[in-house]
Amino acid sequence: MLVWPPYELAFLAREQGYYDGTAIELVDYESPAVALRAYRDGVIDAVAVTIDYLLELAAQGPTHRVILVIDASHGGDALVAAAGFESLEGLKGRRIGVEASALGAYVLHRALEKGGLVPADIQRVPVDIPDQERALLAGEVDAVVTYEPVRGRLIARGARELFSSRDIPGEIVDVLVTRSSVLEERREQVDAFVRGWLRAREHLAAKPRQAAAVMAVREGIDADAMLDALSQAKIYGLEDNLRLLAGEAPGLLPVLRRHVESMRRIGTLQGPLDPTGLIDPRPVLRMAR
């Protein structure tokens, strides 16, 4: 699991004992690139990622399936600039630190669009998420494309948010992905994970401060900061997942199709890709019984 506040539901589920006796193991990763490599290599059986990464995986092979929609970012992903910058237009000719990833490219693309800029107007500097806070504060870059909890820490230290996922509601969506073979061979484990995750989401809704104190530990922040970070995303429950994944017209499908077209335009996805077969609603349907 990457460091992103809604993903902490998995660790909350573990702490609450929802995964006891299930042989479910949670693995920490600092960057999407490392997590995806582990998933591709079969080191882990499932991975939580944004749909940009899902589509990258799908372009390389047809075996990947979305089994849970985790959240939609609503402010948690952002372009944050050093103090003194007042607008996106002011970044023309400046250095912007971006993780070498599909998500980083997408957020930068949408931010530049909003600011009336094109890629040639800025200097793109590769900076991984764990290094972004230091790079911005040290003046190595003028802005970074980042996400919580780095976003919140930078703003607390005087950085300026010039663009966020609030400006593009519903476009940055996190999903849980696994291989079709895992769905068939480890059904009980898959169901146990999904059930525990959804129970943790209910616990967060019922006892937010208590849950946030547990969820904050891995992120290195306090409960108040965790609650603020969680407010930057819409976290989906069972009913949301049934709407997004099940039925004749799953709500996630138009989002996937829009992303296919956007990623083609910015060059992070090549060739045709039909996302229809990427959705498998069976685990959430079993939760509804």
Side-chain angles (χ1 to χ4, degrees):
M1 287 288 176
L2 296 166
V3 176
W4 166 244
Y7 292 0
E8 299 302 328
L9 284 174
F11 295 89
L12 177 62
R14 184 177 68 184
E15 292 303 310
Q16 290 297 117
Y18 301 157
Y19 293 147
D20 289 354
T22 64
I24 289 170
E25 180 182 357
L26 304 179
V27 185
D28 288 343
Y29 291 101
E30 284 196 346
S31 77
V34 177
L36 285 170
R37 188 181 311 121
Y39 174 72
R40 288 191 189 101
D41 292 345
V43 176
I44 55 177
D45 296 309
V47 64
V49 290
T50 59
I51 56 178
D52 310 81
Y53 296 109
L54 163 68
L55 295 173
E56 278 192 342
L57 287 167
Q60 298 164 11
T63 64
H64 311 288
R65 301 289 182 270
V66 175
I67 59 171
L68 185 71
V69 184
I70 297 169
D71 68 88
S73 179
H74 192 63
D77 294 84
L79 188 150
V80 179
F85 287 93
E86 301 294 332
S87 68
L88 290 167
E89 293 83 354
L91 292 175
K92 189 169 184 177
R94 300 293 188 162
R95 302 157 298 167
I96 301 181
V98 187
E99 186 179 44
S101 69
L103 176 61
Y106 185 83
V107 175
L108 178 61
H109 169 72
R110 297 293 274 122
L112 292 177
E113 279 189 334
K114 183 175 175 61
L117 303 173
V118 296
D121 288 331
I122 56 100
Q123 301 175 49
R124 180 170 171 170
V125 180
V127 184
D128 287 340
I129 293 293
D131 299 323
Q132 288 184 342
E133 187 173 2
R134 177 198 57 78
L136 184 65
L137 295 175
E140 295 174 8
V141 293
D142 300 298
V144 292
V145 172
T146 193
Y147 51 80
E148 293 288 4
V150 176
R151 169 198 168 273
R153 291 201 299 262
L154 284 171
I155 291 171
R157 298 187 68 172
R160 294 293 302 274
E161 180 178 279
L162 303 181
F163 174 86
S164 83
S165 48
R166 287 182 188 273
D167 297 305
I168 48 172
E171 292 192 25
I172 301 177
V173 178
D174 288 278
V175 294
L176 184 68
V177 179
T178 191
R179 289 176 286 274
S180 54
S181 59
V182 173
L183 280 169
E184 301 305 327
E185 297 165 9
R186 302 184 185 178
R187 170 177 160 171
E188 289 185 6
Q189 228 172 325
V190 169
D191 284 3
F193 186 88
V194 172
R195 184 179 301 109
W197 184 291
L198 293 172
R199 286 183 66 189
R201 194 258 188 187
E202 292 174 358
H203 180 68
L204 173 62
K207 299 181 178 179
R209 180 160 293 279
Q210 181 188 93
V214 175
M215 297 169 74
V217 174
R218 195 176 68 113
E219 305 266 334
I221 55 180
D222 62 24
D224 287 335
M226 173 56 73
L227 287 171
D228 180 66
L230 288 169
S231 74
Q232 309 301 318
K234 174 177 171 52
I235 303 176
Y236 293 124
L238 178 57
E239 291 303 317
D240 300 303
N241 270 273
L242 292 171
R243 172 178 55 83
L244 291 165
L245 299 180
E248 293 184 3
L252 185 63
L253 195 52
V255 179
L256 292 174
R257 287 176 174 151
R258 284 198 302 270
H259 256 70
V260 168
E261 295 308 313
S262 295
M263 291 175 70
R264 280 184 183 144
R265 284 199 304 273
I266 62 179
T268 54
L269 190 64
Q270 306 296 324
L273 176 62
D274 181 1
T276 305
L278 297 177
I279 295 172
D280 194 319
R282 288 179 295 173
V284 294
L285 285 171
R286 289 193 288 266
M287 298 304 106
R289 292 174 185 167

